[in-house]
């Protein structure tokens, strides 16, 4: 009887020890643009547009304070009406440039905002210069800009992306650089650690976004797809 009781105590103590020594894990979010399709281009005469994609991941802690941001970009690319461009590196075909993913660690009990904007380019030289600057800070973790820290209203995906580029040291405000005619569409998705712990199916999010509109009597219609994958890593 004494042996049985001792065995129970030992097993209980071992379980407590293993629980205490369990290696904590964090979630790392990865944003990967997947494809863009021009159902109807804005330029009626040429039946083609020059487009640029900018995207970011922004992390918030348990107190809803922004803690880190990473940015990425793709383009400038020509796209014709009816054409679909695959953006995943593994799905790259001849003549297509893949969009490199960005990744960011989610704070404990925090959340991450994934934001994507699709831009129609008018000035190719200026757009290429902007993209060159974005590539220099691609996936570099930066401290969030003041706009994220002091914002009292709900921010648009464009403002999230612009704030990320500003935080990375690019001397320009993307939101100010663009006018409403340049923005074909914007999309974002929020991921909370609490939701990931409840439902493992939410660790992969596929986002199909549809951007339709009209500019100076010229209509446009685009489909953009991107993925957000959540991975677990051991915290050292």
């Amino acid at each position: 009887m004494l042996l049985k009781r001792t065995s129970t105590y030992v097993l209980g103590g071992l379980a407590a020890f293993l629980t205490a020594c369990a290696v904590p894990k964090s979630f790392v979010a990865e944003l990967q643009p997947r494809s863009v399709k021009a159902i109807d281009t804005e330029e009626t005469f040429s039946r083609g547009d020059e487009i640029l994609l900018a995207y970011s991941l922004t992390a918030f802690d348990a107190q809803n304070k922004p803690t880190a941001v990473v940015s990425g970009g793709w383009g400038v690319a020509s796209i014709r009406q009816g054409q679909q461009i695959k953006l995943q590196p593994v799905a790259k075909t001849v003549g297509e440039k893949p969009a490199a993913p960005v990744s960011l660690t989610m704070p404990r009990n925090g959340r991450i905002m994934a934001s994507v904007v699709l831009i129609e380019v008018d000035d190719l030289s200026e757009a290429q210069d902007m993209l060159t600057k974005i590539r220099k800070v691609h996936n570099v973790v930066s401290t969030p800009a003041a706009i994220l820290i002091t914002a009292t209203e709900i921010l648009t995906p464009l403002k999230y992306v612009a704030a990320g580029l500003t935080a990375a040291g690019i001397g320009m405000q993307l939101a100010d650089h663009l006018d409403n005619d340049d923005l074909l569409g914007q999309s974002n998705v929020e991921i909370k650690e609490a939701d990931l712990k409840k439902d493992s199916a939410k660790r992969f999010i596929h986002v199909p976004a549809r951007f339709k509109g009209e500019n100076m009597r010229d209509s446009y219609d685009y489909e953009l797809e991107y993925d957000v994958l959540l991975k677990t890593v051991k915290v050292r």
Side-chain angles (χ1 to χ4, degrees), residues 102-197:
V102 292
S103 59
L104 187 63
T105 300
M106 180 181 293
R108 184 61 57 89
N109 299 320
R111 63 187 178 94
I112 278 183
M113 183 70 75
S115 307
V116 181
V117 295
L118 181 63
I119 301 162
E120 196 271 324
V121 173
D122 291 323
D123 189 323
L124 288 178
S125 177
E126 195 172 66
Q128 288 287 5
D129 180 63
M130 178 171 64
L131 190 62
T132 298
K133 292 178 180 178
I134 293 175
R135 284 172 175 161
K136 288 181 179 179
V137 298
H138 182 92
N139 211 36
V140 175
V141 179
S142 304
T143 302
I147 185 175
L148 292 178
I149 299 174
T150 61
T152 56
E153 78 281 5
I154 297 176
L155 298 180
T156 64
L158 176 60
K159 288 188 177 180
Y160 273 110
V161 172
L165 295 176
T166 301
I170 295 179
M172 57 172 289
Q173 286 285 352
L174 184 61
D176 295 336
H177 175 74
L178 298 171
D179 57 40
N180 292 331
D181 296 339
D182 295 319
L183 186 63
L184 294 173
Q186 52 186 324
S187 172
N188 63 12
V189 60
E190 182 183 62
I191 309 102
K192 298 180 180 179
E193 186 187 59
D195 294 335
L196 296 174
K197 291 180 177 179

Side-chain angles (χ1 to χ4, degrees), residues 22-63:
V23 179
K25 295 182 179 180
S26 291
F27 288 102
V28 174
E30 180 181 274
L31 168 59
Q32 172 65 67
R34 192 167 182 172
S35 67
V36 59
K37 182 177 181 179
I39 299 172
D40 184 14
T41 57
E42 187 175 23
E43 298 296 333
T44 304
F45 180 74
S46 64
R47 303 184 72 81
D49 289 334
E50 303 291 333
I51 58 174
L52 180 150
L53 195 67
Y55 42 96
S56 69
L57 290 172
T58 308
F60 296 82
D61 63 17
Q63 287 71 46

